[in-house]
Amino acid sequence: MSMGENGTAVSEARPPVRQEAAPPREERTPAESTRPAPGPVRHLTRLLASEIGLTFRRPRNLAMLAVLAVVPVVVGIAVRVASDGDAGGSIIGQIAGNGLMLTFAAFVVMMPIVLPLTVAVVAGDAIAGEAAQGTLRYLLVAPAGRTRLLLVKYANIVVFCLAACALVAVSALVTGLVLFPVGPVTLLSGATIPAADALLRVGVVVLYAAAGMAALGAVALAVSTLTEAPIGAVATSVVLVVVSQVLSAIPQVAAVRPVLLTWWWGAFDGALRAPMAFDEMGRGLFAFAAYVLVFGSFAWSRFTSKDITA
């Protein structure tokens, strides 16, 4: 056999090269091909839902909410044990005569420090806590951007403030119904209103208190953008509250009271007057809005310009 014939035989004996078939292309249905991409509103909604879920799943926050629910119960039991049947003229003194007054008394007791401390922990941890855990940069990968992320953080704080104040009111109402008689409520101005009207005023107090705590949340959020240590942001916010309350109690510096945040927290007692002191409460809401605007702008300026290193 010649070399040419040998080469031809070898080429004929060689098996043909096998070509692998390309994987089939995934065909999209017409509905999927025309479906619009998720918009910014959907992204914000999902981010806010995730933030709220994380806030209300943290054991620390749940423990603080449990404390908020227990304090009205302790106040009610203390008044029940120590009551001698004298209703008195103050909010605390009227609890023995009407269980609905326990709700207003609970806010009188908790507005100075207990509620602010709870809100300061959540708000102070909003940015600084993420930076300390090293998750802030990963959050910024989301398409929301820094401004929208900051808005989501503050919206979460507002939701927590409303939930905390509502929890205090519900706990106080249940305790008051169990431990004391319930009937028409005598207001601080001397007028008497039906129990149903008193429940509406409880709702006004809850909303007003939540607005005051939301203003504190804006302050704590601004402080949280200045540090990567959440305990430092929380401590600074609480110190600011204490200093403001001390200044409010000093007669010699009474001129600065209208600009102090804590001075307006007690204006919710306007709901216990006939007619309701909407003018005083309106000035308080205006002060809260001013605090949110000023410290929210500061937080935005700081957060959108700072270098994220953690």
Side-chain angles (χ1 to χ4, degrees):
M1 182 181 296
S2 64
M3 295 181 58
E5 294 176 349
N6 189 20
T8 302
V10 171
S11 62
E12 292 177 353
R14 182 180 302 166
V17 179
R18 181 180 180 183
Q19 296 182 353
E20 296 183 357
R25 296 180 57 184
E26 183 179 354
E27 297 183 358
R28 300 177 63 185
T29 63
E32 292 177 345
S33 60
T34 59
R35 183 181 301 170
V41 175
R42 183 178 178 184
H43 285 300
L44 283 178
T45 303
R46 293 176 60 184
L47 188 59
L48 177 59
S50 175
E51 192 73 20
I52 292 175
L54 180 62
T55 298
F56 286 93
R57 285 196 304 267
R58 286 180 175 172
R60 176 194 61 196
N61 297 343
L62 293 177
M64 292 189 301
L65 290 174
V67 171
L68 294 181
V70 168
V71 171
V73 178
V74 174
V75 173
I77 293 176
V79 173
R80 177 69 177 179
V81 171
S83 176
D84 56 359
D86 182 16
S90 63
I91 295 179
I92 301 295
Q94 294 187 47
I95 296 176
N98 196 326
L100 293 177
M101 295 302 295
L102 179 59
T103 305
F104 304 108
F107 281 100
V108 170
V109 172
M110 302 176 69
M111 282 292 285
I113 191 63
V114 180
L115 271 171
L117 177 60
T118 304
V119 173
V121 170
V122 175
D125 188 65
I127 301 297
E130 300 283 1
Q133 296 175 7
T135 57
L136 186 56
R137 285 189 297 179
Y138 298 101
L139 280 177
L140 295 178
V141 176
R146 295 195 181 192
T147 300
R148 294 177 181 177
L149 177 61
L150 192 67
L151 289 175
V152 167
K153 290 286 187 181
Y154 183 66
N156 174 63
I157 295 171
V158 173
V159 171
F160 183 84
C161 293
L162 185 59
C165 294
L167 178 62
V168 171
V170 171
S171 176
L173 282 174
V174 173
T175 304
L177 291 174
V178 172
L179 297 180
F180 305 102
V182 175
V185 175
T186 301
L187 302 176
L188 297 179
S189 57
T192 301
I193 60 174
D197 292 344
L199 290 177
L200 293 177
R201 294 178 183 243
V202 168
V204 172
V205 171
V206 169
L207 294 177
Y208 185 87
M213 293 300 102
L216 174 62
V219 176
L221 182 63
V223 176
S224 182
T225 61
L226 298 174
T227 178
E228 295 181 359
I231 187 63
V234 173
T236 302
S237 303
V238 174
V239 168
L240 290 175
V241 170
V242 173
V243 170
S244 179
Q245 290 177 342
V246 170
L247 293 176
S248 300
I250 300 177
Q252 289 76 10
V253 293
V256 303
R257 288 175 178 173
V259 300
L260 298 176
L261 177 61
T262 57
W263 175 253
W264 298 103
W265 284 350
F268 70 85
D269 63 357
L272 296 178
R273 305 185 185 279
M276 279 195 287
F278 287 113
D279 53 347
E280 186 74 9
M281 298 176 69
R283 286 194 291 269
L285 293 175
F286 179 80
F288 299 156
Y291 267 85
V292 172
L293 178 62
V294 172
F295 284 92
S297 300
F298 176 83
W300 173 82
S301 175
R302 171 64 180 171
F303 185 63
T304 54
S305 60
K306 69 181 295 188
D307 294 331
I308 306 300
T309 59

